[in-house]
Amino acid sequence: MNPNNKVIQIRRISLSYKENGQKFPVLDDVSFDVAPGEFICIVGSSGGGKSTLLRILAGLQKQTEGKILNMPEQLGFVFQNFALFPWLDVESNVSFGLRMQGLSKSQIHKRVREEIDRIGLEGFEKSHPKELSGGMKQRVGIARALAIHPKVLLLDEPFSALDEITAKGLRHDLLRIHTQTKETVIMVTHLVEEAVELADRIIVMSPRPGKVRKIITNTMSRPRDTRSREFFKLVDEIEGVL
Amino acid sequence: MRYSHKIHQANQQKSPGIQRRQRITSFILIGAVIIFLLVFAETKTIDWWEFYRFFLSSLFSVAVAYIIAAFLALLLALGATKNKWLENILLPVLDVAQSFPTFALIPVLLAIFGTSRWVVIVFLVVTIIWPIVFTLITALKGEREDLGQAATIYNAHGLKRLWYFRLPSVFPAFISGSIIGWGEAWEALIGAEIIAKVLGVGSYLGKLGETGSVWQLVLGIAMYLFLIFILNQIIWLPLLNFSSRYQNES
């Protein structure tokens, strides 16, 4: 069986720091599964260890205990503050991962073109990050992540640095792309409404130390009406858990 | 010249009008120096061809020393920031080494190389290297964490990480350090060439000073400053401008 089609198993992940002989727990015994193609949102208050958990899943940080099984190697990561390379133009930022993979120029050009068209960056190919608005920067961040055709897309509060109108547009684009590509998505957010709008399942975490409080399956059909009674009921349920 | 790049960096934040006025002022200054030199060159005898030959010899020394120093500085800075263990060893060593009085090296260099151009080149390497090393170390230690994580996620490892991420991210600091080092090299050059008796602007001006040709000496120094100014305008300031696109957004 293709390992990319296996359920990702996050098992008893804990992380703590030691400072002056004192132990500071950040994450405590976090466990959940992620099915292929699933859209998961991790919700919790700020400083609760959600982003740390995402970095552990991405292999950027090491947990003190626990293990992650069946995590594919090909990961895309979208950063809260975009993390675009300021010396590269849009096209080169999007192609960064492809160049690191050693793809041919024609393959890189084809993939970059696809992502630029799909995410709506036409006409900005030669612009540098400092010439772009926050929304456009995040589009570049998403295009860079999608260009490598990731098996799992990790997003760390991708819309929290944007105004609501821009964030709404990008949420719709993300959902559209997820429907097209069927990639597995794990997204961290502190906005309950955002999680209810996007996710198939919502992992609700408690803060200090970050612990899974409840896992809620979102059965609402897409596109979701963010003003419906059902929507608000689920938001209330999650806020009650938080 | 040493601090002009800082002023220029600050100017990049200013309006185009201010930048245009400062460019006009630069051209007026250059024009005034040219007129001054032309007028006095008519009345005072100075062998310009000899001066240019000496200047080119000095420029060769500074350029070779700069290339060697830049390469070594890069190696030292990358080494000193590679891991905590190397940092703990290299940083104190570099700190002590940079405070060593460089002119004290000249007798040692003369003993090793005799009165050769290498005395000047090695002396200039030691002069140029420190500003580049320390600006690079500061930049490497201050690398944005999220950019480093993005490079890691997208498989920028080993030499690819160095070429596609680390070097571009420290490019503005490298240019700033280079401008300071290059400026200090021109300052140190005169003394080194006089002491080492090596063909160059320093020994030429030294000879004029010994013969008491005050006007020729003044003209020589003015020409020397003018040529350094021109090099700054055609090489370093455009590079500094170009490096601004490599800088992180505030």
Side-chain angles (χ1 to χ4, degrees):
Chain A
M1 190 179 174
N2 183 349
N4 295 325
N5 292 330
K6 282 185 179 174
V7 171
I8 301 165
Q9 299 175 331
I10 290 123
R11 291 287 173 267
R12 313 204 70 172
I13 297 289
S14 294
L15 176 76
S16 54
Y17 292 113
K18 266 188 183 168
E19 210 174 283
N20 302 327
Q22 241 190 317
K23 198 175 164 184
F24 293 98
V26 180
L27 292 169
D28 181 28
D29 203 15
V30 175
S31 295
F32 59 91
D33 290 343
V34 184
E38 201 174 14
F39 198 129
I40 294 276
C41 271
I42 303 170
V43 184
S45 50
S46 293
K50 308 181 298 292
S51 294
T52 308
L53 176 62
L54 203 70
R55 275 166 173 71
I56 289 173
L57 297 182
L60 293 169
Q61 207 168 336
K62 198 91 190 112
Q63 68 272 28
T64 27
E65 278 173 56
K67 55 190 173 183
I68 300 158
L69 301 171
N70 305 327
M71 180 61 93
E73 277 186 20
Q74 194 104 313
L75 300 175
F77 199 107
V78 178
F79 293 81
Q80 185 178 0
N81 292 322
F82 325 121
L84 301 179
F85 301 110
W87 55 89
L88 299 178
D89 60 21
V90 166
E91 219 166 47
S92 304
N93 261 297
V94 174
S95 68
F96 187 84
L98 302 172
R99 279 184 288 145
M100 295 306 108
Q101 287 178 351
L103 265 65
S104 70
K105 271 190 178 174
S106 61
Q107 282 175 305
I108 290 174
H109 181 75
K110 187 170 167 275
R111 289 242 204 129
V112 169
R113 205 57 261 163
E114 276 170 15
E115 294 310 329
I116 281 179
D117 290 346
R118 183 155 64 164
I119 205 84
L121 287 163
E122 304 92 339
F124 291 92
E125 291 87 344
K126 297 295 169 200
S127 302
H128 281 79
K130 65 168 71 168
E131 296 158 357
L132 302 174
S133 65
M136 292 305 274
K137 281 178 197 167
Q138 198 55 294
R139 282 181 191 279
V140 180
I142 294 171
R144 179 177 64 180
L146 293 172
I148 60 163
H149 290 179
K151 303 299 174 209
V152 178
L153 181 61
L154 304 168
L155 301 104
D156 184 13
E157 305 208 27
F159 313 125
S160 63
L162 309 174
D163 63 85
E164 183 45 33
I165 295 169
T166 310
K168 197 173 172 183
L170 273 173
R171 278 198 293 268
H172 286 170
D173 286 342
L174 182 63
L175 265 183
R176 176 176 52 82
I177 291 163
H178 173 66
T179 312
Q180 286 169 0
T181 60
K182 300 283 178 218
E183 279 158 357
T184 307
V185 178
I186 305 175
M187 181 172 129
V188 159
T189 179
H190 64 270
L191 299 172
V192 176
E193 289 84 356
E194 192 169 85
V196 174
E197 187 184 347
L198 298 174
D200 298 318
R201 275 193 307 143
I202 299 156
I203 317 277
V204 186
M205 286 184 72
S206 63
R208 287 171 286 273
K211 215 173 165 128
V212 175
R213 199 167 265 175
K214 195 170 181 184
I215 298 174
I216 295 170
T217 303
N218 188 349
T219 53
M220 287 170 71
S221 58
R222 290 195 174 104
R224 288 173 183 157
D225 181 358
T226 56
R227 290 162 183 246
S228 68
R229 179 186 289 265
E230 202 184 356
F231 188 91
F232 285 117
K233 203 176 149 198
L234 192 52
V235 169
D236 285 346
E237 185 188 339
I238 294 166
E239 283 179 347
V241 175
L242 279 170
Chain B
M1 172 170 168
R2 196 186 297 185
Y3 300 109
S4 64
H5 71 287
K6 288 186 177 161
I7 296 166
H8 188 76
Q9 259 172 353
N11 284 346
Q12 285 172 347
Q13 315 295 326
K14 290 180 185 169
S15 68
I18 294 174
Q19 285 187 34
R20 196 172 52 244
R21 278 200 293 279
Q22 290 188 343
R23 206 168 295 135
I24 291 167
T25 311
S26 289
F27 281 115
I28 291 171
L29 278 172
I30 294 171
V33 173
I34 291 173
I35 291 165
F36 172 82
L37 290 171
L38 286 174
V39 169
F40 281 92
E42 281 296 310
T43 55
K44 303 291 168 188
T45 52
I46 189 163
D47 188 344
W48 290 109
W49 289 117
E50 192 184 25
F51 179 81
Y52 286 128
R53 197 161 57 88
F54 287 157
F55 179 81
L56 286 176
S57 301
S58 295
L59 180 61
F60 172 78
S61 299
V62 174
V64 171
Y66 169 74
I67 291 165
I68 297 170
F71 180 70
L72 291 176
L74 205 55
L75 287 183
L76 283 171
L78 287 169
T81 52
K82 177 134 181 75
N83 59 46
K84 208 74 199 151
W85 185 80
L86 261 175
E87 185 182 328
N88 286 340
I89 294 173
L90 268 177
L91 270 188
V93 172
L94 294 176
D95 198 31
V96 171
Q98 64 100 22
S99 54
F100 186 81
T102 40
F103 270 98
L105 273 179
I106 289 190
V108 180
L109 296 175
L110 282 170
I112 297 170
F113 298 108
T115 52
S116 104
R117 183 159 298 283
W118 281 106
V119 173
V120 176
I121 290 175
V122 175
F123 173 74
L124 291 179
V125 168
V126 179
T127 306
I128 295 168
I129 199 167
W130 301 121
I132 307 180
V133 166
F134 285 101
T135 49
L136 278 178
I137 288 175
T138 309
L140 285 165
K141 283 172 78 71
E143 257 174 16
R144 256 176 66 182
E145 198 186 353
D146 58 346
L147 292 187
Q149 289 176 340
T152 305
I153 286 276
Y154 297 110
N155 288 318
H157 303 299
L159 280 178
K160 277 185 177 171
R161 188 179 186 84
L162 180 70
W163 186 251
Y164 288 103
F165 170 63
R166 299 205 86 188
L167 292 183
S169 70
V170 298
F171 184 63
F174 178 73
I175 295 298
S176 296
S178 294
I179 291 173
I180 298 171
W182 184 265
E184 288 185 357
W186 285 111
E187 279 180 26
L189 178 85
I190 303 287
E193 283 181 345
I194 291 172
I195 296 169
K197 296 183 173 62
V198 174
L199 183 92
V201 177
S203 52
Y204 177 72
L205 294 177
K207 193 179 77 184
L208 289 176
E210 279 168 19
T211 55
S213 321
V214 179
W215 266 113
Q216 277 91 333
L217 189 60
V218 170
L219 280 173
I221 291 170
M223 196 61 197
Y224 176 62
L225 293 177
F226 177 64
L227 290 170
I228 293 171
F229 178 73
I230 290 290
L231 282 174
N232 197 24
Q233 291 289 321
I234 61 171
I235 297 174
W236 292 112
L237 291 184
L239 270 174
L240 194 66
N241 250 333
F242 177 72
S243 76
S244 69
R245 76 157 55 160
Y246 285 68
Q247 271 165 345
N248 291 318
E249 295 153 89
S250 55

